[in-house]
Amino acid sequence: MSGPDISVVICVYTEDRWEDILAAVSSVRAQSRQARETLLVVDHNQALLERLTKEYGNAPEGPGAVRVLANAGPRGLSAGRNTGIAASHGEVIAFLDDDAVAERDWLRRLAEGYADPRVLAVGGRTVPVWASGRRPAWFPEEFDWVVGCTYRGLPPGRVRVRNVLGGNASFRRTAFDAAGGFATGIGRDGDRRPLGGEETELCIRLGQLRPDAVLLIDDRAVIHHRVPAAREHFGYFRARTYAEGLSKALVARSVGAGKGLESERRYTTRVLPAGVVRGLRDVVLARPGGAGRAGAIVAGVLTAAGGYLVGSVRARRDATAFTATRIEGTRDA
């Protein structure tokens, strides 16, 4: 098998997602290109740690092995990912959400991107699986990032990007050697406010340290991400967009507003106005949901902007909001 060997890291935190976790692991085991290993990193939940260890036996070696380990850092997704990176053996580390399943060629498509030695990260396309069975009529595709999925406005095919999206992403190990790991104090922390941005901050930081680095998204590397019913409501939409504004303020403080908001400016000035126009056109054509989608886009922009302003004030006040972690490897040489 040509190309880099790949370790897959799945960060988990609650037994409420037990069936989702099993499905995620099964999808990795069914890949057309076998993973070197799958690491399940449990975020400070002893009951879940013991249950998963019993389920998978925690075999430490062998192709396709599933290893279960505890988050060795503070609570949260960033520290969990850093734990997985440090414990993994692969030349490339891929990340899969615990409530997502990968299509059979997911790893093969990710691996193909690394044929160019300049490539340090490859992401893929994340498709929403709505609990209700279909997209809510008011929910704009431009805001699918709210539910952790690929959104309208990203270019198709295999293209160079500023940052990959964390739930369907991979990095060459040398990326972490150069830039360190995911910053703690930013991003998800169990059931707290739905923050994000940790992969964006890492990718921008990596680009600053390695200007020659190439980061790609290949939309053939597909995963399907479950969207629970609670996230199909406008209340979650509003909370998530506000939290994104808070996160972007932290990212901007870390890497500078120029790089930290470069893609967001294009998105806000080009993609979103086009979405509003489509929504209003659908109103004129008596198509369902047009007014709701146009209104949701405007509301999303306003709440994200509000979160950014609040986050900027907090970031200036709190100089220790987050820390970029150096990865201390525990793998064999």
Side-chain angles (χ1 to χ4, degrees):
M1 180 174 59
S2 62
D5 59 347
I6 303 177
S7 298
V8 177
V9 173
I10 304 173
C11 295
V12 303
Y13 71 98
T14 175
E15 289 183 89
D16 293 341
R17 292 187 176 180
W18 179 256
E19 295 299 328
D20 292 330
I21 296 168
L22 299 186
V25 173
S26 293
S27 75
V28 175
R29 285 177 153 176
Q31 290 294 297
S32 60
R33 177 192 178 92
Q34 187 177 56
R36 175 165 181 167
E37 60 192 346
T38 300
L39 294 92
L40 290 171
V41 183
V42 183
D43 193 16
H44 298 271
N45 185 329
Q46 186 63 31
L48 179 58
L49 179 68
E50 293 173 357
R51 189 176 179 187
L52 285 171
T53 301
K54 182 179 179 180
E55 177 73 23
Y56 291 109
N58 215 19
E61 299 294 342
V66 178
R67 299 164 56 199
V68 181
L69 57 156
N71 178 4
R75 186 181 300 276
L77 181 58
S78 291
R81 286 174 172 167
N82 291 340
T83 297
I85 296 163
S88 64
H89 296 81
E91 180 184 346
V92 167
I93 301 97
F95 299 95
L96 179 66
D97 277 349
D98 63 345
D99 53 356
V101 294
E103 291 192 0
R104 178 172 169 76
D105 288 335
W106 175 60
L107 287 181
R108 182 167 71 87
R109 297 302 188 184
L110 293 180
E112 288 172 354
Y114 291 102
D116 182 343
R118 299 175 302 162
V119 173
L120 294 187
V122 182
R125 178 162 57 96
T126 302
V127 178
V129 180
W130 303 94
S132 62
R134 63 179 182 177
R135 172 186 300 275
W138 63 269
F139 203 114
E141 292 182 29
E142 292 82 0
F143 275 82
D144 276 5
W145 56 262
V146 165
V147 291
C149 296
T150 301
Y151 55 91
R152 182 193 287 266
L154 288 176
R158 183 194 288 172
V159 293
R160 190 168 182 174
V161 293
R162 181 196 67 178
N163 63 274
V164 296
L165 305 180
N168 179 5
S170 65
F171 293 85
R172 207 184 289 272
R173 182 174 298 279
T174 52
F176 301 113
D177 295 338
F182 292 93
T184 57
I186 186 172
R188 296 283 178 137
D189 180 1
D191 290 320
R192 293 173 59 188
R193 188 186 298 276
L195 298 170
E198 65 279 357
E199 67 277 353
T200 300
E201 192 274 340
L202 171 63
C203 289
I204 296 173
R205 178 160 35 97
L206 176 61
Q208 291 175 333
L209 294 167
R210 288 282 304 272
D212 60 329
V214 174
L215 285 67
L216 302 174
I217 284 182
D218 188 334
D219 64 7
R220 300 171 300 169
V222 180
I223 70 170
H224 298 265
H225 186 272
R226 188 174 67 83
V227 181
R231 297 186 181 183
E232 294 187 8
H233 298 292
F234 184 72
Y236 180 81
F237 179 92
R238 185 176 55 206
R240 179 68 185 90
T241 52
Y242 179 77
E244 185 69 6
L246 295 175
S247 300
K248 291 302 183 188
L250 287 176
V251 172
R253 196 199 75 188
S254 172
V255 299
K259 282 294 184 181
L261 299 176
E262 183 179 43
S263 295
E264 288 73 15
R265 290 191 186 96
R266 290 196 298 268
Y267 168 76
T268 303
T269 58
R270 299 180 187 178
V271 176
L272 295 186
V276 172
V277 170
R278 275 192 298 272
L280 296 177
R281 181 191 61 197
D282 287 345
V283 173
V284 173
L285 296 175
R287 294 171 178 168
R293 289 190 296 275
I297 289 173
V298 174
V301 171
L302 293 176
T303 53
Y308 182 81
L309 290 174
V310 172
S312 297
V313 172
R314 292 178 181 175
R316 287 194 295 269
R317 188 176 59 210
D318 182 5
T320 60
F322 64 93
T323 303
T325 302
R326 192 73 189 168
I327 300 295
E328 300 294 339
T330 60
R331 62 195 181 98
D332 297 334

